[in-house]
Each structure stands twice: as structure tokens, then as C-alpha cells.
Amino acid sequence: MKQRRMPSVIAALAILFFSLASAAGSSVRQTEALQRKRAQVQAVLEHAVRVAGHPAVIVILEDEPIATYRGTKRGWAATSLAAAPDNHIGGKLDLNSARSRAYAAYLQRQQELFLAKVREQIPEAVVHFRYTVLLNGLALTVPAEKLELLAMFPEVVEIFPIVEIFPESRARASGAVLPLDTSHALMGAEDLWQAVGGRENAGAGIRIGIVDTGVDFDHPMLQDATLTPPSGFPRANTGENLANGKVIVAKVFQSIIDRQARLDPRFRTAQDLTGHGTHVASCAAGAILDLRTFPGARPVVISGVAPKAFLGSYRVCAPRCGLDSLLAGIEEAVRDGMDVINISLGAPTSAPLDRAANNAVTSGVIVVAAAGNDGPPPSETQNVAGGTVRSPANAQRVIAVGATTNAHQGAAASALGRVRVEEPAPPSELAEVLGFRGLNGATPFPETPIVARLVDVDLVDNGAADGGGLACEPLPAGSLAGAIALIQRGQCRFAEKNRNAAAAGALAVIFYNTEAGGDTLITPDLSGAPLPALFLQRRAGLALKQFINAVERAGRSVRAVLEPLDLPGEMIVTVPIAPDHLADFSSRGPASSFAIKPDVVAPGLSSYAAVQDDDPRGEARFPLPPDVERDVQAPLYDPSGFAFRNGTSFAAPRVAGVAALLKQLRPNWTPDEIRSAILTTARRPPQLAAQRVMDRGSGIVDMRALARVLTTVDAPTYSFGSIRIRQTVTRMKTFTVKNHSSQLVTYRLALTMTHADPAITATLNKTTFQVRPGGTGQFTLTLRIAPTIAPGTREWEGFISIRDDGTTIPAQLDIPFWVRTVR
């Protein structure tokens, strides 16, 4: 009998053992969750905006949102496209289906039950927004001393600070009809326009959501009498009658930051009061306009990339932008059935913002975001991986866009000046050189010419610790007496250089750009420094430097004239520059997850497009408390209604327009397939190829190639992340290639490593394969890293190229890959 009982005893012991192990594992997970919540509460206390003294937070609740729900709750069917592929309309999540409405009602009931418990224990809690589509969560304010109590509710999975968010623009100075403005030509727009039936049909039927500062609904670029809104539109959430046949949504979402600030009620408008969203919208889908009849505008034909697309405007900066209002705007754009969403706003790495953006893609919407204007690291906004890319561009499935130079820069004549070499006779390129005047100096730019000796500071401070030519240290007394000083940008502020030149006796300063800045022009902030100043392109500065050195070697000196332009002050003047260079302000990767970001780049420097022409005060047209006025976006205003502006804010909507055209051309392609096509066809002229993949992504958008490509790749870029090397490491990644054509295609692969080191090798498991019409094929990349790899922290990159002799790929598709090694 005892022997027969032995198995049951062993079974009981086994059950007890596994129960204890399971309980121990559960206890560890609970402890880790508790520690994570406490760390998040500390982050809230450090970073959250305060409303009436209370921190503002986003709480994420335990159930999945509609976009990702896979049917795990008994009684409620799956809603996500991954688990319920039929739950869609036109490839986008159907939020009005029976299953979506049922699950939405469930989430709302659960939120109500949770809030009942919260109000019982934290009666001071105030709810401002609820989210159910992209996130399951709430935006609310609670007393600081009760944050941990809120976080410890079992329904709360995570808690995040609500922070203020800023537009990704740069507030720099900025006969016959000319051809369409240059940014379209740089991207090859004509080919993709022709593929969708011509520019007059480009974007027809596609909806682009602009989540921003609103738009100027009266602006002629944002009206089109030939368009008829789709059924159910226009839509609004205020009593204003602003939407039209072109801009079919006019909604405003005011952040917690402002809803309790007792601001003038006129801020709760869908109208753009600053001009940022107007410029963004016009870059993406502005109507075709001939500007010859617009006083003060350039005599050009202008349009957005997708001029016949509909626009939806979601004003989330009213006047300030908050994480809570941005999340609400993105979710509403998904509810309204936008095909593409552009977000030219950004914050340092934000998990809820990245998650919402990724989930919008999961819902069938293409999301494009500005990478940011924080330039290369180091930066105050640097993420844990060392990059400066902001959220939501940080999100994996979002198309993150950096900025490149246009073919010109422009500004009003009153913002420009020129330098002329009088003697000895100069080469033709130095007879007249245009530049941007310095601002905020103690002495205004001269209205009468300054005629003086032109001195290269490099010749008087070449023993300086800064390397010479930078004037970041005091200069020899009297070394610039009565002269105009030529000084290179870099290492210290313009004001410091200016004061050092003044102390050495200079009358004025001419700055020229660094090698990294190249031929772009900026307006130097003189911060009260005493001398008038002009800023030149690098090539002009180097030409002056070379000429001065040659003349002084011959025992002579250069005499130059610094003067204003002899043109009406309001006249717009353009200066040619070299296009397709990375803008120095464009944020760099990697993403916080070590993913390759930005994904692509597009023209964002000297973007000429619509701005508001209502009021030069922008948001400050209505009364603002001093603490609010300090934070609002600088106005983008010009009486003509058009102006030059810089920023990744204006590169992103150009790519959003490209995505809209590709959606029009390939309506059955998924957002991931459209992202793949945009990334893998991007071109890399030599000046971009010389940059890191983490600086320029896959390259500049190529609309010529997009008009013909019929192959997509999952994934279009790949990061192996950061790997600590102690022994030989092997990593593998399998890529899936889809043939969208009706032909059998033979693909050929090649691999290139851009840095040679025998300790790191990359190989492919095949160099050729065939894929049937509509089918898929795969190949695998293997990365091996030996322990003899160079010591320290290093980055390595390469790319895989795919060709098919032009069957579905115009030239070749490129898939960049990257790894960081730490030894």
C-alpha cells in the first residue's frame, strides 16, 4: 500500500514545489513592479508640470487599448488589426464596429470604477483627458503627497509626468515666374506627381492630420474650392465655423497646463495664432498658388507636396503644448480616420508618447514626426543611448525625419548685409558677398558703409589655446585697431568673440561658418556685444581668408566695405547654397532603444511656405501672464502670408506629403510597407553618404524611385544595439522581402561594411533568390564580433543592397545596419 502511495506523494511534493516557485516568482515580479512605480513617482515629482500646485500625470491602466487588444478578456472580442484583421475600414482600425464599440464601453466602465476608488481616497484628483484608442489611461492632477498612493492602485500599471512640449522649428532669421520652389525638385516630386495623375491630382482623397498649433483656415494655401469634404465632414469640437473643403477638421485640445490657468477664453480656438501649424500644413498639402499677386511674397509657384489632399487640424498648443493634449490630438486624428498624421512637436524621450505613436501605426495610420533640432550630442536632451532624437520620432514604427539644406536661403533685405573688397582688385566672387546681420547687439548694423582694413583673426591669435581664428580668448592689444575682423564660428558664443574683437580695437566683425555648418547662413545673437556683425557662408569666409593671406604675404593689406543692401527693406532676397547637406541643428540618433533614427532626411532649412498674417504678436495678441508668455511659441508671421523658416518641423510634413502620395498610388500597402519604401529608396549623395547613419538615417527622400518601386522589406533598417564584448559574439537578423508586382523576380544581394576591422564581420546566407508575384522571400544577416575588437565604445555600420535589374526596383534598395561595441 505504501509503495502504491509513493507516486501520489511525489506528485503532491512536486505540486507544492512548483506552487512555491510560482509564488516566489510572482513575489519577485511584484517587488520589481513596486520598485518601478516608485521610480516613476520620483520622475513625476522631478519633471511634471504643476497645476494649482499639483503634479500633472498620465496613468496607464491594466487593460489593453482598442488598438492593441487581442481578445484576452472573456466576453469581449479582439479589436486590434493583428488579432482581428477584418476589423478595418480601408486598412485602418474600424472604431465604429460592434466589437470596437463594445470593448470601448468596457474600458470606459473600468475607468469609471477606477476613478470611483481614486476619488474616495484622493478627493483632490481632477481628470482632464481619457484615452482608450491608443492608450488606456487618464490625464489627471493629484497632490504631490498622494502620488505614491495613486501609483499603488492595482489598476495602475505605469505613471508618467505630463511635460511641456515644443515645436521643432528654429526661430532664425529667415519678372518671370520662377519654377516651383526648390525643395520639391530636390526630392524628385515631378515623377511621383505624374504617377498619381499629375500635380493637379496629387493627394486626392487622402487625409493628412496635422497635430500642431492649429492652422490659419483663411490662408489661401489652406483653401480649395474644387474639393468636396468626405461624408461626415467637416468636423469640429468648438462652436467655431472654421473648417472648409480643404481643411476638413477643426479641433482644439487644451492642455492641463492651460485649462486651469484662467487664460483668456479666446485661446480655446482651433485657429492657429502663432503660424507654426500653418507652415507645417502648407508644406504637406498646401494648395497650388502663383504668388505674383501677393504683395511682399516671392514671385514663385508654390504648393505642398500633396496639394489635393484633405487636411485635419488638431490644435494641441492652446497656447502651450502639453503631453496630455498631444496624446489627445493624436488619438482624435486616428478616430477621424486620418491616413497620415504629422507631428512636428517633440519632447525628450517619452514612453507614453512613443507608445501612442506606435499604436497609431498599429491602427493602420502612417505617422511622421520631426526628429528634433538639438543637433549632435552632447545635448541637454540626450537620451540614454546618447542620441538627441525626440519623442515621438523616437518610436520604432514612426517615420522620423531630419533636416537637410535647401538650394537657397532667404530673408528680407533688412535682415541682410554685404561685404565688398575694394582693394586690391578681388576675384569676382568677392566683389559682393551677402550675409545675415547680427541681432541684439549694442550697436545697430550701419546704415552708412564702414570702410576699413579687413583682418583675418587667425593671423593675430594663431598661438591661442583655441587653435587660432576663433577669438574665444583676449586678442593682443591694438591688433585689430580700426579694422574689420574676420572670425570663424565655433567654440564660444558670438558675443564673446565680438567683445574680444572690440577690445582689440575692431570696428566691426564678419563671422563665417564652421566646416560642420558649411554654407548655411544663421543670424548670430550678439547678446548686447558692442560691434555690428555679419555672418557669411563658409565658402565665402574661406575665400576672404585665402585672399587676405595672399595679399598680406605680398606686404599689402585688404580694404573692404561693410554695408546694408541697396534694396527696399521688405524685399525678399534669396542666397544660393549647396543643397542636400545635413542641417547642423538636425537631431541625431540613436533612439533611446538604440534603433536607427532619424529614418530619413528632407529639406528643412530655409523652408518657404505659409505663415499667419493676422498679428505679429502671435499668441500674445491676447493677454498672457508673464510665466505663460515666456513659454509660448515665437510667432511665424509675415504680412505677405509667406516666409522662410528653419527646422525639422518643416522637413517632416514634406515626408508626410510623400507618404500621402504613396498611399494614393499604393492604397493596399500597409503603413510599415510605405515606411519601408520611403526608407529603402532614399538616396545618399556624397555629402550625406559621408555622414553616420545615425546622423542622416537612410538618406534623403527620393520621390523618383518611389514612383516605381514594387518591393518592400521588413525591416528597412536594423540596429543590433549596444553589445559588451568579452568573448566572440554572434548576432543574426532575418529580413523578409515582399514582391508586390505581377512578375517572378530574381533579387541579388550585396553587403558593404563602411568601417574595416577584421574583428567584426558581416555575412549573408545567400546572394540571390527568387520571389513569386505577390509572395515573400527571406535572407539572413549574421554579425560576428571577436574579443579582439578595438577597445572602448565604438560604432560600426554597413548596408545591404538589393537589386533586380529594374523589374521592381529602379536602382537598388539599401538596408542600413548598425552596432555599438563596448570593450
Side-chain angles (χ1 to χ4, degrees):
M1 292 291 293
K2 289 180 180 178
Q3 288 179 341
R4 284 196 295 270
R5 287 181 181 174
M6 186 64 68
S8 61
V9 172
I10 293 173
L13 289 172
I15 291 169
L16 177 62
F17 172 80
F18 285 117
S19 297
L20 290 172
S22 176
S26 176
S27 177
V28 169
R29 287 192 295 273
Q30 288 174 358
T31 301
E32 290 175 346
L34 188 64
Q35 291 172 341
R36 184 175 63 250
K37 285 185 179 182
R38 283 179 174 153
Q40 290 175 341
V41 166
Q42 185 59 39
V44 168
L45 289 170
E46 292 174 1
H47 301 295
V49 296
R50 303 279 174 134
V51 178
H54 294 173
V57 299
I58 302 287
V59 292
I60 303 298
L61 303 179
E62 57 186 337
D63 292 311
E64 287 292 311
I66 300 170
T68 61
Y69 175 58
R70 303 182 66 89
T72 53
K73 296 283 181 184
R74 178 173 293 181
W76 286 276
T79 54
S80 72
L81 292 178
D86 292 336
N87 190 32
H88 75 90
I89 294 180
K92 293 172 291 189
L93 182 64
D94 183 359
L95 293 171
N96 292 314
S97 68
R99 64 175 63 212
S100 293
R101 285 187 279 111
Y103 186 64
Y106 164 78
L107 291 179
Q108 289 160 7
R109 286 194 301 272
Q110 294 302 109
Q111 289 183 3
E112 284 296 339
L113 291 172
F114 167 69
L115 286 173
K117 293 170 62 176
V118 170
R119 290 182 180 118
E120 185 176 320
Q121 299 187 47
I122 312 176
E124 306 93 334
V126 179
V127 177
H128 296 266
F129 286 110
R130 301 186 185 201
Y131 313 102
T132 58
V133 178
L134 306 179
L135 302 172
N136 175 25
L138 306 163
L140 66 164
T141 53
V142 296
E145 66 273 15
K146 295 186 179 179
L147 271 174
E148 188 160 337
L149 174 60
L150 175 67
M152 296 310 153
F153 277 92
E155 296 90 345
V156 174
V157 178
E158 295 172 292
I159 183 168
F160 298 102
I162 291 177
V163 296
E164 192 169 352
I165 291 177
F166 299 95
E168 301 295 357
S169 60
R170 302 282 286 188
R172 295 180 178 174
S174 27
V177 179
L178 299 176
L180 227 112
D181 211 14
T182 59
S183 62
H184 295 326
L186 294 177
M187 296 188 296
E190 191 65 40
D191 289 55
L192 193 49
W193 283 340
Q194 291 306 315
V196 296
R199 185 179 66 189
E200 296 75 14
N201 192 53
I206 305 299
R207 306 171 190 174
I208 303 176
I210 305 296
V211 182
D212 211 285
T213 65
V215 304
D216 182 353
F217 295 87
D218 295 326
H219 199 288
M221 276 197 89
L222 303 180
Q223 296 186 338
D224 189 334
T226 69
L227 295 179
T228 301
S231 176
F233 292 88
R235 296 179 181 176
N237 65 353
T238 69
E240 302 167 297
N241 185 23
L242 295 173
N244 56 49
K246 173 73 173 174
V247 187
I248 59 175
V249 177
K251 295 185 177 181
V252 57
F253 299 89
Q254 199 164 34
S255 171
I256 285 176
I257 304 170
D258 290 327
R259 287 171 72 181
Q260 290 192 348
R262 296 182 180 175
L263 297 182
D264 190 304
R266 288 174 291 180
F267 283 113
R268 187 169 170 74
T269 175
Q271 179 74 12
D272 185 8
L273 303 182
T274 182
H276 185 273
T278 297
H279 199 95
V280 168
S282 65
C283 290
I288 304 166
L289 285 182
D290 182 342
L291 299 189
R292 282 180 298 180
T293 60
F294 290 79
R298 297 171 59 219
V300 296
V301 174
I302 192 170
S303 81
V305 175
K308 286 296 179 180
F310 294 114
L311 288 163
S313 176
Y314 303 85
R315 174 168 153 89
V316 298
C317 307
R320 291 175 292 183
C321 321
L323 174 61
D324 57 323
S325 57
L326 179 52
L327 291 172
I330 298 170
E331 183 158 304
E332 190 71 3
V334 173
R335 287 184 182 277
D336 285 337
M338 295 294 118
D339 299 293
V340 182
I341 296 175
N342 183 86
I343 307 168
S344 289
L345 307 168
T349 305
S350 168
L353 185 51
D354 290 343
R355 194 176 305 165
N358 273 333
N359 287 347
V361 179
T362 299
S363 301
V365 182
I366 304 157
V367 179
V368 181
N373 298 328
D374 295 304
S379 165
E380 293 179 1
T381 62
Q382 200 166 310
N383 63 35
V384 294
T388 60
V389 170
R390 292 185 161 232
S391 293
N394 195 61
Q396 178 67 46
R397 299 174 73 185
V398 165
I399 303 174
V401 186
T404 52
T405 57
N406 212 321
H408 59 215
Q409 279 187 268
S414 59
L416 300 173
R418 66 182 170 195
V419 58
R420 293 187 291 109
V421 174
E422 274 201 336
E423 57 182 44
S428 59
E429 67 267 21
L430 297 181
E432 178 184 79
V433 180
L434 301 186
F436 282 17
R437 301 181 185 186
L439 288 182
N440 305 320
T443 305
F445 196 84
E447 293 303 316
T448 57
I450 295 177
V451 183
R453 180 187 175 198
L454 183 59
V455 176
D456 178 9
V457 169
D458 202 7
L459 298 178
V460 300
D461 77 336
N462 54 14
D466 63 17
L470 297 174
C472 289
E473 298 180 353
L475 301 167
S479 59
L480 297 175
I484 300 171
L486 179 67
I487 303 174
Q488 182 177 221
R489 175 192 183 191
Q491 290 197 20
C492 64
R493 298 173 64 205
F494 290 116
E496 187 175 349
K497 297 171 184 284
N498 189 298
R499 292 189 182 99
N500 286 336
L507 301 178
V509 173
I510 296 175
F511 299 115
Y512 65 97
N513 215 339
T514 60
E515 183 176 1
D519 287 339
T520 57
L521 293 167
I522 66 171
T523 298
D525 183 357
L526 302 181
S527 302
L531 303 181
L534 193 69
F535 187 94
L536 305 183
Q537 296 173 318
R538 180 166 179 80
R539 62 182 172 185
L542 292 178
L544 281 172
K545 179 183 178 72
Q546 184 179 8
F547 184 68
I548 292 168
N549 291 343
V551 170
E552 299 223 347
R553 280 197 302 270
R556 303 174 64 189
S557 61
V558 173
R559 181 182 176 88
V561 180
L562 184 67
E563 60 187 354
L565 300 189
D566 186 21
L567 293 170
E570 70 278 4
M571 182 175 177
I572 299 296
V573 178
T574 58
V575 180
I577 63 172
D580 296 345
H581 286 263
L582 189 68
D584 59 354
F585 57 77
S586 189
S587 285
R588 318 299 168 91
S592 59
S593 63
F594 292 95
I596 293 175
K597 293 285 176 174
D599 291 304
V600 288
V601 290
L605 185 138
S606 208
S607 166
Y608 191 69
V611 295
Q612 61 98 357
D613 58 1
D614 299 330
D615 196 314
R617 296 170 295 176
E619 300 280 5
R621 70 186 71 187
F622 303 137
L624 282 168
D627 62 321
V628 178
E629 186 170 7
R630 183 181 62 244
D631 291 340
V632 299
Q633 164 77 0
L636 276 68
Y637 166 84
D638 192 274
S640 71
F642 303 89
F644 285 101
R645 287 296 183 269
N646 302 326
T648 57
S649 270
F650 314 124
R654 289 183 162 87
V655 178
V658 172
L661 297 184
L662 195 53
K663 178 70 175 177
Q664 180 186 8
L665 183 65
R666 315 287 182 207
N668 295 323
W669 285 16
T670 68
D672 288 329
E673 289 169 341
I674 286 174
R675 176 174 177 266
S676 169
I678 290 173
L679 270 59
T680 57
T681 58
R683 62 184 179 86
R684 295 187 303 279
Q687 62 271 33
L688 279 184
Q691 301 283 343
R692 302 181 315 145
V693 69
M694 289 297 185
D695 295 335
R696 45 78 176 151
S698 295
I700 191 166
V701 172
D702 187 352
M703 295 170 72
R704 295 181 187 88
L706 287 170
R708 292 182 50 207
V709 68
L710 287 171
T711 290
T712 56
V713 184
D714 182 16
T717 66
Y718 191 72
S719 167
F720 287 97
S722 181
I723 304 176
R724 186 171 293 276
I725 308 299
R726 295 187 178 91
Q727 57 189 10
T728 298
V729 172
T730 301
R731 296 285 188 272
M732 303 174 73
K733 168 61 180 175
T734 297
F735 297 85
T736 300
V737 177
K738 184 170 184 179
N739 172 15
H740 294 268
S741 79
S742 57
Q743 302 179 61
L744 177 68
V745 176
T746 300
Y747 294 106
R748 299 195 318 277
L749 307 178
L751 186 148
T752 302
M753 287 289 290
T754 55
H755 299 88
D757 188 316
I760 182 167
T761 59
T763 57
L764 296 171
N765 69 329
K766 61 183 71 170
T767 58
T768 184
F769 61 99
Q770 289 188 322
V771 178
R772 60 181 174 76
T776 60
Q778 293 185 325
F779 64 89
T780 299
L781 169 67
T782 300
L783 190 71
R784 289 188 177 87
I785 308 169
T788 55
I789 194 77
T793 300
R794 297 175 181 267
E795 296 181 4
W796 315 86
E797 62 187 70
F799 62 90
I800 303 161
S801 61
I802 307 176
R803 294 174 177 264
D804 68 356
D805 297 323
T807 307
T808 68
I809 301 171
Q812 68 181 42
L813 304 183
D814 289 323
I815 307 167
F817 59 90
W818 176 92
V819 66
R820 176 181 289 168
T821 58
V822 182
R823 172 173 170 257

